[in-house]
DNA sequence: GGTCGATATGATAATGGTTACATATCGACT
DNA sequence: AGTCGATATGTAACCATTATCATATCGACC
């Protein structure tokens, strides 16, 4: 998915992959995936949002929406105490992330192959 | 959390695939792809836009942007004459569409496989 | 040469998603 | 019991994309 070195009018492929509800609403995409990763890494939603350069408000809303659509919690939230509070991932969230990563890896490989073929056809 | 309104079995995968310029700007995605297909089918941009339910203004802008980013024309435009004018695809556009279709087919297969694995992991 | 309908394009309005602001709540720790 | 910082959530401001409106241009055909 990284843009290769290319000339001015050269093109490359990009894709987005996400989990969707039957309604069509997105449940988890690249953004939320990264966010969950950072929550796992940093132990709080606030720190994760800051690190990713998005507002806490949006980060919180994204997680909430995901959880509501999935029907189960992705994070364990705590308020108070040292540091003011923390968020950690649930086991389900960790499993989800792992599966999501594998998925992306497969898709990356697929698109790499497809891109080579595409370039051949359109050159 | 609110009461779950859906089970996690209700989720599925979606993806978007598009050609991008090095700048990151999208050149051709699903919308433009369909639009080109309909231009080919109907012989005019206006008819294609109407069929797809998008404004002529947007359709025209999308094609123009694609052509500018690619550095070559996707359509042959004619004004005047019987019917007022027509648009047809260039040979390059046709090749591009063909390659794009093959690409999508490959990705569809890849995502099908990946999804089966994903469901297994998250069930 | 006048007509007609599609191409061509600027300008403005509406829309949806993000950010910014503001404020309340919780609870382990001192 | 009071403090502190993160979670929680509503509302308003902002921005980028899309749609709507409006208008000009071209040129084969009659």
């Amino acid at each position: 998915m990284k843009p290769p070195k290319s000339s001015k009018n050269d093109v490359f492929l990009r894709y987005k992959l996400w989990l969707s509800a039957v309604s069509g609403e997105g449940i988890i995409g690249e953004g939320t995936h990264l966010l969950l990763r950072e929550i796992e890494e940093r132990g709080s939603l606030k720190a994760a949002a800051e690190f990713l350069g998005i507002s806490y408000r949006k980060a919180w809303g994204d997680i909430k929406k995901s959880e509501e659509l999935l029907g189960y919690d992705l994070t364990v939230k705590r308020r108070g105490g040292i540091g003011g509070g923390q968020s950690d991932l649930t086991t389900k969230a960790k499993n989800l992330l792992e599966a999501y990563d594998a998925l992306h890896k497969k898709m990356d490989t697929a698109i790499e192959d497809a891109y080579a073929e595409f370039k051949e056809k359109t050159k």
Side-chain angles (χ1 to χ4, degrees), chain A:
Chain A
M1 283 310 295
K2 269 195 299 187
K5 281 232 159 93
S6 52
S7 67
K8 188 177 192 172
N9 287 327
D10 203 4
V11 302
F12 60 98
L13 289 177
R14 296 186 63 83
Y15 77 97
K16 277 183 193 293
L17 178 65
W18 70 98
L19 279 174
S20 165
V22 282
S23 64
E25 264 191 304
I27 299 179
I28 291 180
E30 196 51 43
T32 307
H33 167 241
L34 274 174
L35 182 58
L36 288 170
R37 274 261 171 276
E38 292 306 323
I39 291 172
E40 184 176 37
E41 183 70 26
R42 288 157 211 288
S44 92
L45 180 54
K46 185 169 193 283
E50 270 167 13
F51 179 77
L52 293 173
I54 62 173
S55 66
Y56 174 85
R57 186 64 181 78
K58 173 166 164 51
W60 175 84
D62 286 350
I63 296 288
K64 185 191 165 91
K65 185 184 165 195
S66 292
E67 291 179 334
E68 281 176 358
L69 286 170
L70 282 169
Y72 58 83
D73 283 349
L74 293 169
T75 56
V76 180
K77 302 108 177 155
R78 276 181 289 276
R79 293 194 285 194
I82 194 165
Q86 314 89 49
S87 290
D88 299 295
L89 299 192
T90 61
T91 304
K92 278 193 168 181
K94 286 176 186 169
N95 290 339
L96 196 66
L97 280 187
E98 198 184 329
Y100 191 90
D101 281 342
L103 196 67
H104 250 287
K105 212 166 283 180
K106 276 211 169 187
M107 291 297 279
D108 282 343
T109 305
I111 208 164
E112 219 168 292
D113 295 349
Y115 182 62
E117 196 177 306
F118 181 83
K119 289 284 284 189
E120 189 60 33
K121 276 187 186 165
T122 56
K123 77 176 177 189

